[in-house]
Amino acid sequence: SYDGDRDCDEFKQFVVYTKRVWFSNGIHHHYSMDKFLPEFDVEYFGELLANTNSELLPLGEKEDVVDLMKRLVPVIFDENVANKRVVLNSEMDLIADSANNYYEGVTQAEVEAHYENAEKGDLERPLSAGLNSKLLKEDGKLVEKIWKIGGMYTDAIEKIVFWLEKATDVADSDLQKESLIKLVDFYKTGDLQTFDEYSILWVKDLDAHVDVVNGFIEVYGDALAFKASWESVVNFKDIEATKRTEIISDNAQWFEDNSPVDERFKKDEVKGVSAKVITVAMLGGDCHPATPIGINLPNAEWIRKEHGSKSVT
C-alpha cells in the first residue's frame, strides 16, 4: 500500500533487502548465519512506514507506527543486535548469544543440563529429546512448549495434517499410507517415539514413485543441535536419471578396483549406495526457497544403523 516513489534508489534497495529476507527466511544469511544489513537508512525506513496503510502493519496491542519503528529499527539496522543466528564460538554462550527462536531466557548450561536429564527411552535407541519444542522459562522454571496440534504452532500444524490426511487416500502403497498415518499421529501427539516409528516406515519405502520428506528434520539452526526446523519436499522419481546413478552404484567394485590410490587403501568388497534422482514438485519450510542439493535421511543414528537411510539428489 506504499504510495511513494517506487523508482528511486532507496526503494530498489528496500526491494533487494526484502528479497534477501524472503530467500533466507529471516535477517541472517542462510549459510554464514551472519546478519545482513540494508543499504537504505533509518530515515527512509520511517518514510516507508509513514506512507503505508497502518491497518496492514503488524502492530502490537496499544502500539502505533512510531512504536513499531522503535521495535524494528535495532533488529534491522543495528549490527550488534541479533548479529548471528547460530553462534559456534566456544568463548560465547551458544544459546544466549544465538539469535533464534528455539530458546527464550535460558543459557547454554541450563539447556545442556536439561537435556542431559531428559527422558530418552531405550538408551540403545534414544529419542531425539527436544527435537520438536521450544524451551523457555516461566516463573523461573524451564518449560517445553511442544509443537503439535493443541500446542505451539497448532494453527500451522493443523493445516499440515489436513493435507497429509488427504495424501493418505492417494498413497503409492499400503506402506506409504501407513507411514503417512503415523506422521499424522506424531503431529497430533508430539510424541517422539511415534516420529521414530514413522521414520522407520518411511525409510523402508524404497519403491514409491512419489515420495515426501515432512517434519521437524534438520538441527543446523540450533548451536547445540537439539531443535529442528520444519521442512517438506514432495518429489517424484526421475526414472532415466536414476538409471544412470544405479549404473554407477552397481559398478562400485569396478571404481574401487581401478581407483588411482595405493592398494593398501582399497577394499576387497564394496557396495554402492541406493541413490535415486528426483524431480521436486513442492518445497516448504526450511527447504524453501533454497532447495537442498541432496537429502540423506533419517538423521537418528540408530535408525540408520538398524534400518538404513534414503539418499536423493
Side-chain angles (χ1 to χ4, degrees), residues 10-284:
E10 289 91 346
F11 191 83
K12 291 175 181 176
Q13 291 165 349
F14 168 70
V15 170
V16 168
Y17 179 74
T18 302
K19 288 179 178 179
R20 294 190 73 186
V21 172
W22 283 341
F23 190 82
S24 297
N25 289 315
I27 59 173
H28 301 90
H29 189 277
H30 57 297
Y31 281 143
S32 73
M33 302 291 178
D34 293 328
K35 177 178 174 177
F36 48 79
L37 300 173
E39 294 184 7
F40 57 89
D41 58 24
V42 174
E43 288 72 25
Y44 184 72
F45 184 57
E47 182 186 325
L48 289 175
L49 288 178
N51 290 282
T52 294
N53 181 353
S54 61
E55 293 181 2
L56 300 176
L57 295 174
L59 299 176
E61 190 177 347
K62 297 181 181 179
E63 190 177 51
D64 60 20
V65 175
V66 174
D67 295 326
L68 177 66
M69 184 166 176
K70 287 179 181 176
R71 182 156 60 92
L72 291 181
V73 162
V75 177
I76 296 174
F77 293 93
D78 189 337
E79 62 183 350
N80 296 313
V81 174
N83 72 333
K84 200 168 183 73
R85 184 178 154 207
V86 180
V87 168
L88 298 176
N89 183 344
S90 60
E91 295 180 4
M92 302 173 72
D93 188 306
L94 303 189
I95 298 302
D97 292 322
S98 290
N100 63 51
N101 199 38
Y102 294 135
Y103 305 95
E104 193 173 312
V106 296
T107 65
Q108 177 182 345
E110 288 173 320
V111 173
E112 290 173 332
H114 178 79
Y115 287 115
E116 178 70 27
N117 298 314
E119 176 59 43
K120 301 182 182 71
D122 183 350
L123 294 181
E124 295 293 316
R125 300 172 180 84
L127 301 176
S128 301
L131 190 76
N132 62 329
S133 67
K134 176 172 181 171
L135 187 66
L136 66 159
K137 270 188 185 168
E138 288 184 351
D139 299 324
K141 294 182 179 179
L142 288 176
V143 176
E144 281 199 81
K145 302 281 189 179
I146 307 297
W147 308 330
K148 64 174 184 173
I149 287 182
M152 195 171 186
Y153 303 131
T154 184
D155 290 347
I157 295 171
E158 286 169 27
K159 290 185 173 68
I160 296 169
V161 166
F162 173 83
W163 290 107
L164 285 174
E165 288 181 330
K166 285 188 175 296
T168 60
D169 295 333
V170 291
D172 262 9
S173 64
D174 290 341
L175 178 57
Q176 188 176 71
K177 183 173 185 176
E178 186 183 359
S179 74
L180 291 173
I181 291 171
K182 186 67 73 171
L183 180 59
V184 166
D185 192 28
F186 164 67
Y187 281 127
K188 288 180 176 179
T189 64
D191 181 59
L192 289 167
Q193 177 69 46
T194 302
F195 185 67
D196 284 346
E197 292 168 1
Y198 155 73
S199 298
I200 293 168
L201 291 170
W202 177 83
V203 83
K204 286 180 179 178
D205 185 11
L206 298 174
D207 299 321
H209 181 62
V210 177
D211 204 359
V212 61
V213 173
N214 190 295
F216 304 109
I217 307 290
E218 301 294 357
V219 295
Y220 305 124
D222 177 3
L224 294 180
F226 290 118
K227 311 290 178 192
S229 58
W230 185 84
E231 67 178 55
S232 185
V233 178
V234 179
N235 63 80
F236 55 92
K237 189 173 181 179
D238 184 327
I239 304 297
E240 288 304 313
T242 297
K243 286 180 183 176
R244 294 194 291 271
T245 63
E246 287 173 345
I247 291 170
I248 295 172
S249 182
D250 291 345
N251 288 277
Q253 191 65 54
W254 183 91
F255 288 106
E256 182 75 4
D257 295 342
N258 290 277
S259 105
V261 299
D262 193 292
E263 293 295 327
R264 292 174 298 160
F265 305 115
K266 292 184 180 181
K267 296 177 181 176
D268 293 331
E269 185 179 345
V270 294
K271 291 182 179 179
V273 297
S274 59
K276 68 176 180 178
V277 182
I278 61 169
T279 298
V280 169
M282 169 271 181
L283 299 165

